[in-house]
Amino acid sequence: MALLTAIRDWMTHQRIDAVLLSSRQNKLAHLGFSSSSGYVLVTRRHAHILVDFRYYSDVATRTHGYQLHRLESGRPMSAIVNQIAEEEGLQRIGFEGEQVSWQTASEWHDSLRPTLVSVSPDTLRQVKTAEEIATIREACRIADATASHIRRFIQPGMREREVAAELEWFMKQQGAEKPSFDTIVASGPRGALPHGKASEKIIVAGELVTLDFGAQYQGYCSDMTRTFLVAGRYFNVETSPLYAVYQTVLEAQLAAIAAVRPGVACQTVDAAAREHITHAGYGPKFGHNTGHAIGIDVHENPRFSPTDTTLLRPGMLLTVEPGIYLEGEGGVRIEDVVLVTEDGAEVLYHTPKTLLMTGEA
């Protein structure tokens, strides 16, 4: 199994005999479903899944090549792991130090015989498998269809929460399990809030409205941002006070996407967007990273940030989402999910990135 081979290769570099996975994110590929319960223990010889009676039968039907152990009140995780450690000669076990609480780590230190080593297996999720890419493509398709629907739905006089409710309902109709995160609907001056969650504000004709949303599909996320002009069919888009801002953000986003290819450092992609916005005079108004990796979590590493030196590799999936935010006036952000290919990048969305007007066909 390619996943287990990759983990064991990583274990060699970490100088550990096994890794104990407890986070929902890092267990998903092993369990076959998303759960905060249970554990996965990968050793040199075997891969073990430890779950209680609620999940035991389900896991047994979903997984192959794993040794399944039932957690019970008289047989806790530590007892099972200690038994495996004795049978397989495990001396050093890695655990997810960034995910596990101090209290839990202390309890494990007292109850487990092998030495515990804090490790970061999240790096194993940076390059996606073909199956993961296909799943994220479907999550992106749902977001794409939703963007096309919602731009026709929005009308002056609606409340932001009404738009968010319609957006989330439509995503579920398209096959989403749930939203990837709390939906952002920020209209008019609220567009200057990068994370302006939907409020009771009424949307007014002539305003820009920024929608940032995503669909979770089979445990994987999409993430899209589009900024729309709320107006009728015959409204002249170029009369919007933020039209020039929109064009600057769009040009910055396209420049960043053009920089994406294998071997390029993440900070180089960030610089492509940031330098364009700075040269246009809006540098201080762009205060967040240009993007982030996406997968089981909506925000993963690496990041398109000024300090991230990670080199891009084929199979990575990241967002590209520069923005400009003018307090009291509004803001613009445009976001796509981008797949790093063998020779460049592929944008996974098809929704146009013009300053779309609601009500248009």
Side-chain angles (χ1 to χ4, degrees), residues 3-19 42-45 92-94 117 119 121 123-124:
L3 173 61
L4 295 178
T5 299
I7 291 176
R8 288 174 176 133
D9 289 343
W10 171 82
M11 285 163 47
T12 298
H13 292 293
Q14 300 294 317
R15 298 181 180 178
I16 54 178
D17 303 312
V19 62
V42 180
T43 72
R44 300 288 180 192
R45 292 165 51 188
R92 289 165 55 86
I93 294 180
V117 180
V119 294
T123 57
L124 292 166

Side-chain angles (χ1 to χ4, degrees), residues 136-145 147 180-181 212-215 221-226 253 294 298 318-320 334-339 346-353:
I136 294 171
R137 280 187 187 277
E138 179 60 16
C140 289
R141 183 204 66 79
I142 293 170
D144 238 352
S180 299
F181 52 90
D212 189 344
F213 60 95
C221 298
S222 59
D223 190 359
M224 172 189 270
T225 306
R226 290 292 186 269
Q253 200 232 13
I294 188 168
V298 71
L318 302 98
T319 69
V320 179
I334 305 170
E335 176 185 21
D336 288 316
V337 171
V338 175
L339 169 66
E346 177 190 355
V347 176
L348 299 192
Y349 295 131
H350 303 287
T351 300
K353 289 182 285 191

Side-chain angles (χ1 to χ4, degrees), residues 7-287:
I7 291 176
R8 288 174 176 133
D9 289 343
W10 171 82
M11 285 163 47
T12 298
H13 292 293
Q14 300 294 317
R15 298 181 180 178
I16 54 178
D17 303 312
V19 62
L20 179 65
L21 304 177
S22 56
S23 70
R24 174 190 64 83
Q25 299 91 329
N26 285 322
K27 292 184 303 184
L28 175 61
H30 304 275
L31 298 180
F33 61 91
S34 179
S35 174
S36 59
S37 298
Y39 305 89
V40 174
L41 179 69
V42 180
T43 72
R44 300 288 180 192
R45 292 165 51 188
H46 300 291
H48 306 265
I49 293 177
L50 293 66
V51 291
D52 63 40
F53 77 98
R54 296 172 297 170
Y55 305 100
Y56 191 89
S57 296
D58 193 8
V59 171
T61 61
R62 289 174 180 267
T63 59
H64 304 281
Y66 291 81
Q67 295 191 4
L68 197 54
H69 306 263
R70 190 192 299 271
L71 294 169
E72 299 172 347
S73 57
R75 194 169 180 243
M77 179 272 282
S78 58
I80 298 174
V81 172
N82 282 335
Q83 180 181 346
I84 295 170
E86 183 176 351
E87 293 172 352
E88 300 190 29
L90 308 180
Q91 300 296 317
R92 289 165 55 86
I93 294 180
F95 75 102
E96 298 174 84
E98 295 176 353
Q99 301 284 344
V100 176
S101 70
W102 180 89
Q103 180 174 340
T104 298
S106 297
E107 292 172 355
W108 289 358
H109 176 78
D110 292 338
S111 61
L112 293 174
R113 297 192 193 105
T115 300
L116 291 179
V117 180
S118 177
V119 294
S120 298
D122 290 7
T123 57
L124 292 166
R125 306 204 320 263
Q126 289 187 358
V127 175
K128 271 55 177 182
T129 66
E131 292 78 11
E132 288 178 310
I133 292 171
T135 302
I136 294 171
R137 280 187 187 277
E138 179 60 16
C140 289
R141 183 204 66 79
I142 293 170
D144 238 352
T146 302
S148 296
H149 168 74
I150 207 69
R151 81 178 185 92
R152 294 171 174 82
F153 174 83
I154 299 174
Q155 298 296 330
M158 290 181 175
R159 296 186 184 277
E160 291 176 348
R161 291 192 192 277
E162 182 181 354
V163 174
E166 175 71 15
L167 188 153
E168 292 176 8
W169 175 88
F170 189 86
M171 286 197 296
K172 289 185 177 181
Q173 293 296 310
Q174 292 289 310
E177 298 163 348
K178 62 181 180 179
S180 299
F181 52 90
D182 290 340
T183 298
I184 293 171
V185 180
S187 61
R190 293 191 74 251
L193 303 174
H195 282 180
K197 296 175 184 177
S199 73
E200 292 298 318
K201 180 187 175 301
I202 294 175
I203 297 171
V204 178
E207 288 185 331
L208 299 189
V209 56
T210 295
L211 306 176
D212 189 344
F213 60 95
Q216 180 176 300
Y217 176 76
Q218 294 185 0
Y220 288 81
C221 298
S222 59
D223 190 359
M224 172 189 270
T225 306
R226 290 292 186 269
T227 300
F228 298 96
L229 176 66
V230 182
R233 183 183 297 272
Y234 302 109
F235 192 90
N236 183 356
V237 65
E238 295 186 16
T239 63
S240 169
L242 294 180
Y243 176 74
V245 173
Y246 188 95
Q247 293 303 118
T248 298
V249 172
L250 177 59
E251 291 164 3
Q253 200 232 13
L254 294 176
I257 293 173
V260 174
R261 60 184 180 276
V264 170
C266 285
Q267 62 185 184
T268 300
V269 177
D270 179 89
R274 199 168 302 279
E275 289 173 5
H276 186 85
I277 290 174
T278 299
H279 291 160
Y282 296 107
K285 306 302 181 181
F286 175 29

